[in-house]
Amino acid sequence: MAKNELKLLGAWASPYVMRPRIALNIKSADYEFLQETFGSKSQLLLESNPVHKKIPVLIHNGKPICESLIIVEYIDEVWSSGPSILPSDPYDRATARFWGAYVDEKWFPNLKMLSTAEGEARDEVIGSLVEGLVLLEDAFKKMSKGKAFFGGDQIGYLDIAFGCYLGWLRAAEKMSGVKLVDEAKTPGLVKWAETFSSHPAVKDVMPDVDRLVEFGKSLAAKFKAAKTGS
Amino acid sequence: MANNAEVILLDFWPSPFGMRIRIALAEKGIKYEYREEDLKNKSDLLLQMNPVHKKIPVLIHNGKPVAESLIAVQYIDEVWKDKAPLLPSDPYQRAQANFWADFVDKKLFELGRKIWATKGEEQEEAKQGFIESLKLLEGELGEKPFFGGENLGYVDVALMPFYSWFYTYEVCGNFSIEAECPKLIEWAKRCLAKESVFNSLPDHKKVYGFMLELKKRFGIE
């Protein structure tokens, strides 16, 4: 069997970095985690991802793979004997990928805005976030078919794609004082969030919420300073 | 065996995203019903099949919708896997194909839009970004006839539709893409020699006319 040398370039606070870490844990694959310092980029990162210069980057036997969800699919395909992350049916795969793209392109950008939006704009952002969660609740009902995860009995692609945002979601709820995931509108997601977060493949790579709140506050302060400074 | 029973494509003729699905279906020899949407008056079917984004293109296979062009192309490749494979079978090469198709998505539509819809510094920056992106793609193509190697692949399908908008970008931006990226234009001409591509792309002057209409409608100078 070929020797597998795995390095993952990442950072503790990044939801995107969590994705390949969960996938590697599911496959019981060992890897070296190389933390990037916030605010600067290592030579290895710039060489491995010259196009975007972003984390995460998985380096497998010297070859880099970039973009978190692309990395997850790669891991699923290479470690094909481990538990499957993507479903086998093409339509189910398309559905999982659709919602993965949705959380990245539509939902998470709103979450990022929550800490800096004010007044009416803030109400709109909260409204959009909750609307999105209701859509995801519906997707959860359809995809889980009564089981614990979007992927059914086991953690799947969308559990990873959406679940990686839970740390920041909880941090945003704490910082804003607004409950986004609640029993009334999204009971399925409330339970799923608990189950997902305590799963052995997830719990050690899920960042501590209070630590994220501290980090989030310092980011928001920097952002405000940059705005008023110009 | 894949069931061809019912394949419908909800589309809009100048959309590069719709063109991707047209090319993929043609490469696989899949018969389908093309339905032109009026985006000012979206059909009930479109709103039903893509309630989240309400956008084209939407591929409908046996009544079930697949939205988002690259997701639909992957779906087509997986269902009709016995003919003209678009994605490579090797996982590393697949990851590279996914990376570059994603790169096209992140860069070209928005930069292209800024080239025709803006002026001055904003337009100049968009032109620069656009050319830089095309040069990176040229680098990835290298000496291969297609991004997919000897045959059309996933990245070819993802990128080629934007070629029908090149004339529009060139006229609005007053520059020559061929002068900057001659190898890419050679690649585009190789793709156009294929029926699946040729029949899926609109006439580039027609696209230019469409852009002028859009400018009028949105009051862009």
Side-chain angles (χ1 to χ4, degrees), chain B residues 41-96:
Chain B
N41 183 18
K42 295 177 179 180
S43 73
D44 287 337
L45 184 63
L46 173 57
L47 299 176
Q48 211 188 356
M49 294 280 116
N50 192 1
V52 174
H53 302 299
K54 305 175 176 56
K55 285 182 168 181
I56 55 93
V58 182
L59 179 76
I60 310 174
H61 183 206
N62 293 333
K64 300 205 294 191
V66 182
E68 298 299 297
S69 62
L70 290 181
I71 294 177
V73 170
Q74 284 179 68
Y75 174 81
I76 290 166
D77 203 39
E78 288 169 17
V79 173
W80 287 273
K81 58 182 184 288
D82 297 323
K83 180 159 186 215
L86 294 171
L87 277 140
S89 48
D90 171 73
Y92 186 73
Q93 285 179 31
R94 247 220 297 286
Q96 296 314 298

Side-chain angles (χ1 to χ4, degrees), chain B residues 203-221:
Chain B
D203 172 75
H204 63 192
K205 295 239 166 98
K206 226 182 146 199
V207 171
Y208 181 76
F210 167 71
M211 178 277 303
L212 290 176
E213 264 177 53
L214 270 187
K215 270 189 155 170
K216 229 191 327 188
R217 184 147 47 102
F218 292 105
I220 302 170
E221 274 302 297

Side-chain angles (χ1 to χ4, degrees), chain B residues 146-176:
Chain B
F146 302 102
F147 287 90
E150 291 304 309
N151 290 304
L152 274 191
Y154 188 63
V155 179
D156 303 278
V157 173
L159 178 58
M160 194 50 201
F162 288 93
Y163 180 77
S164 60
W165 278 79
F166 278 11
Y167 174 75
T168 298
Y169 301 149
E170 285 175 320
V171 172
C172 293
N174 190 28
F175 69 127
S176 160

